[in-house]
Every structure is written in C-alpha cells, then in structure tokens.
Amino acid sequence: MPRHSEKRDMPYSPEQMFDLVADVQRYQEFLPWVAATRIQSDSDRLMVADLVVGFKSIKETFTSRVTKQRPRKITVEYVEGPLKYLKNDWSFEPDGRGGTIVSFCVDFAFKSRIFEALAGQMFDRALRRMITAFEERAHALYGKGATGISRSSAQSAA
C-alpha cells in the first residue's frame, strides 16, 4: 500500500498553486498517464471527477471527490474504480518570501494484488514524474519565479 509525503517550496502564491492543482480538467495536458478527464460536477468547494489513467494497453477509470478550501487545501478522496482506497492531500502555505510551501501526501491501495505489486515497483519513479509535471506546469503557467525552488523533502513507504 504505497504512501508518500513531500514538501516543496515553490516561488508562486498559494492561490496560483491552488488553481493549478484544482484545474483537474487540464491534467491530461501535462500529467503522465492521464489519458482523459471528465468533470461530473464542480463548485467552489466540491468537484466530482473521472480520470482515465493508462500505461501502454492498460487503462482504468476512477472517480474521485475533490474538496477545495481555497487557497489553502485540496483533498482528493476515492469514490470508485480499480482501487481499494485513495486519499490525496495538498496544502498551500505562504513561505514568508512571496512563495508557497506545497505539502503533498498520497495514500492508496489497489484492489488487485497484481496492480499492487506493479505499483510498488514503479511507485517512487512514477510519483517523481508526477510531481515534476506539476512543477513544470507551474513554470509554464507562471514563469520561473523570483525565489526559485529552494527546498524539497520527501518521505515514502510502500
């Protein structure tokens, strides 16, 4: 059951980082393995979205509930699909220098032991690619920023 927590100091405001993460509709444009998205419902505080995630010939659709507390927190909870559960928390705290400390935690398990074994083997690498994709998206949307990325810390458990 993979679990990962990480903090990054990003040179963008909490509002900018919140908006980037909350823009689920655009995930297929920059996140690896996201083939399609469909927003079932969306409001200022709550979104229900389907993601089609694929690798080579394997594609799975899962639905999640996204609770938004702008600009400080986003919580993603699993509704249905190939997982036993999924919990993903994002928080966005001002760093005192005009940027944001982004905290990210994901915890999930697959229903299938085969997928669980595959995820365990590729989890760290896949997660690094995903986090890098969010950073690169922020740079593309908002520029490189004045403060640069000054801190990164990670903690994983499989």
Side-chain angles (χ1 to χ4, degrees), residues 83-94:
L83 302 173
K84 278 187 199 173
Y85 67 88
L86 167 73
K87 178 93 187 267
N88 182 359
D89 291 305
W90 294 85
S91 68
F92 312 97
E93 296 297 325

Side-chain angles (χ1 to χ4, degrees), residues 30-43:
F30 68 96
L31 278 179
W33 309 295
V34 175
T37 58
R38 183 173 74 95
I39 307 302
Q40 293 183 20
S41 63
D42 192 13
S43 70

Side-chain angles (χ1 to χ4, degrees), residues 2 30 88-89 104 106 126 134-135:
F30 68 96
N88 182 359
D89 291 305
F104 169 79
V106 63
F134 274 102
E135 288 179 329

Side-chain angles (χ1 to χ4, degrees), residues 115-130:
F115 280 130
E116 189 74 41
L118 289 171
Q121 293 173 3
M122 297 176 19
F123 179 69
D124 284 334
R125 190 176 74 191
L127 199 57
R128 279 194 298 275
R129 278 192 65 192
M130 187 184 86

